[in-house]
Amino acid sequence: MFRRLASKLPAGVKDRLRRILGALRVGGLRLFSMNGFLAGVYFAFFSRRFRREHRAVLRGRLRYYRNLEGGGRSSPQLRRNIHRLEKGLVMRPRRPVFAEGFIGETVLAYERARGNADYSPDELQWASHVLDAYFEAVEETRVIAAARRKYGSFAQPVSAPDRFGRAESRPYPRSRLPETSVAFDDLLMLFLRRRSVRWYLSDPVPIELIRKAVDAAALAPSACNRQPFRFIITTDPDQAHAIAACAGGTVGFAQQLPALIVVVGDLSAYPFERDRHLIYIDSALASMQLMLAAETLGLATCPINWPDVEPAERKIQQILEFEPHERVIMLIAIGYGDPEGGVPFSQKKQGDLLSEEFRPK
């Protein structure tokens, strides 16, 4: 009704109303941004923009604590604590006693994981190798002795080489890293070649190639090695179109995407609100690695921005049936690029537009 009334107003009156409303909006932002309490009042009563995130963070915390009892093929708590032990083992100088505050819960998490027949064998092997190294290196205290006795009561898993042929999953010196023939100029050419491609051939995209790129993405760093994300893949063009159409900015090219990846962040990896942004950081690191890997496999990609827009969130959640603690990070179009399809030049920032040397005053 208000829009119909506004449409009948003279142009001059409309302009004045827009200026008044604009001034009120800026004044309101100035008021509510003065402190944290007023900001909370604003988002509690005048804006619902963060309500989905608020609920997702709380549901993630709830799921985290429920997962401590076991279940699932991976444990964020165990992954985090084992990585913390690794960091303690590589410290210089290494402390004779460390991790007393969490070694008990780590051994308990390991026990629960061992009791789960569906648990990842690679993760179990990594945990056992690092725990072995920890108990070999650390000095005895009452707390550590109790954890050692409990850990020693478990039958150890059989060691098996991973896909890179590595039989040991414990920390190692940097000198043992594999050699690489990739020079800086080669890497730079790969960066130049990986452009956001929006036009694709209709050729089917082998799921095996996409999974190969995903496996490469798994080698990206993440905070405490929790890897709080998953990739949902569709190689069905109709599904790819339906999902891509949920995002803004895809009109005109979404209908010809041969395949699509949805990057989903998992807030159940964290017990505290302070870590809620890590799903975006870690997912972005892995996604860039995935897109570079895809380029070397002959596949073109295009990351599709996913702003927090409630109608779009509801629509994609209906299609993919996410858990409440999961959040879409981005979409990635993937397929065989059309050689005749246009690619934006997209000039990038250089030099002092992008970096500056810090000089203390």
Side-chain angles (χ1 to χ4, degrees):
M1 182 178 72
F2 291 109
R3 289 184 178 178
R4 285 200 300 271
L5 290 173
S7 66
K8 297 177 181 179
L9 293 174
V13 175
K14 288 183 186 178
D15 289 340
R16 284 195 293 275
L17 283 174
R18 288 195 192 98
R19 287 196 293 271
I20 291 170
L21 290 173
L24 289 173
R25 186 179 300 113
V26 172
L29 292 176
R30 185 179 294 113
L31 170 65
F32 288 111
S33 64
M34 289 177 66
N35 57 53
F37 173 78
L38 290 174
V41 170
Y42 175 81
F43 285 111
F45 297 101
F46 300 102
S47 173
R48 297 186 295 177
R49 298 296 182 187
F50 288 114
R51 289 190 181 179
R52 179 175 289 268
E53 182 182 33
H54 289 169
R55 180 171 182 255
V57 170
L58 292 176
R59 291 297 291 266
R61 292 184 63 198
L62 179 62
R63 175 62 69 89
Y64 176 89
Y65 287 113
R66 284 178 175 172
N67 286 345
L68 294 182
E69 298 303 316
R73 300 188 61 224
S74 178
S75 164
Q77 183 195 49
L78 184 61
R79 294 187 67 83
R80 175 178 184 254
N81 283 0
I82 293 298
H83 189 58
R84 292 167 76 188
L85 293 179
E86 287 191 302
K87 291 189 287 187
L89 287 167
V90 302
M91 267 305 160
R92 286 185 171 180
R94 185 167 67 201
R95 293 165 57 190
V97 174
F98 64 95
E100 278 189 296
F102 63 89
I103 188 58
E105 72 174 24
T106 304
V107 172
L108 179 60
Y110 176 76
E111 179 185 20
R112 288 170 175 160
R114 286 194 55 74
N116 180 357
D118 295 327
Y119 204 86
S120 164
D122 291 339
E123 190 165 308
L124 271 178
Q125 176 169 302
W126 170 54
S128 68
H129 287 186
V130 173
L131 283 166
D132 287 345
Y134 169 77
F135 287 120
E136 290 168 9
V138 75
E139 291 184 3
E140 197 88 327
T141 68
R142 182 180 58 82
V143 171
I144 292 173
R148 185 197 301 275
R149 286 193 299 272
K150 187 174 184 62
Y151 176 66
S153 67
F154 309 139
Q156 300 303 305
V158 177
S159 295
D162 65 10
R163 64 191 181 93
F164 299 105
R166 300 174 299 182
E168 282 290 328
S169 305
R170 60 173 65 193
Y172 54 89
R174 188 176 186 276
S175 60
R176 284 176 48 193
L177 287 171
E179 295 294 329
T180 176
S181 59
V182 179
F184 174 80
D185 288 343
D186 299 324
L187 190 61
L188 185 60
M189 286 304 105
L190 176 61
F191 293 168
L192 285 172
R193 177 172 175 81
R194 200 236 60 85
R195 299 291 88 191
S196 292
V197 170
R198 291 170 175 81
W199 305 106
Y200 296 87
L201 301 175
S202 59
D203 300 1
V205 185
I207 187 69
E208 295 79 14
L209 285 186
I210 300 179
R211 290 193 182 280
K212 201 170 182 179
V214 168
D215 286 343
L219 296 172
S222 70
C224 283
N225 200 33
R226 278 177 283 200
Q227 295 183 290
F229 48 78
R230 63 188 177 111
F231 300 99
I232 300 176
I233 305 165
T234 178
T235 56
D236 179 272
D238 292 335
Q239 286 184 339
H241 177 204
I243 296 170
C246 296
T250 62
V251 175
F253 74 91
Q255 76 284 350
Q256 50 82 59
L257 299 180
L260 192 75
I261 301 170
V262 183
V263 186
V264 181
D266 180 4
L267 284 163
S268 72
Y270 312 102
F272 305 115
E273 294 92 341
R274 68 188 185 196
D275 295 319
R276 66 191 182 279
H277 294 151
L278 294 180
I279 60 171
Y280 304 102
I281 298 169
D282 293 349
S283 297
L285 288 167
S287 296
M288 189 68 250
Q289 203 148 304
L290 186 155
M291 289 185 282
L292 290 170
E295 193 68 41
T296 68
L297 296 169
L299 298 174
T301 56
C302 179
I304 300 172
N305 183 34
W306 187 262
D308 191 348
V309 178
E310 183 57 29
E313 294 276 1
R314 286 198 301 268
K315 190 173 180 180
I316 200 168
Q317 190 166 31
Q318 288 171 358
I319 296 173
L320 297 175
E321 299 179 344
F322 297 133
E323 294 289 340
H325 60 269
E326 293 183 305
R327 305 225 65 200
V328 176
I329 306 298
M330 70 177 83
L331 312 182
I332 301 176
I334 187 166
Y336 294 103
D338 183 349
E340 302 305 317
V343 177
F345 183 82
S346 295
Q347 186 272 335
K348 305 301 181 184
K349 293 179 180 179
Q350 300 286 322
D352 59 3
L353 285 176
L354 198 60
S355 65
E356 62 177 284
E357 183 181 356
F358 173 69
R359 297 181 183 277
K361 296 179 180 178

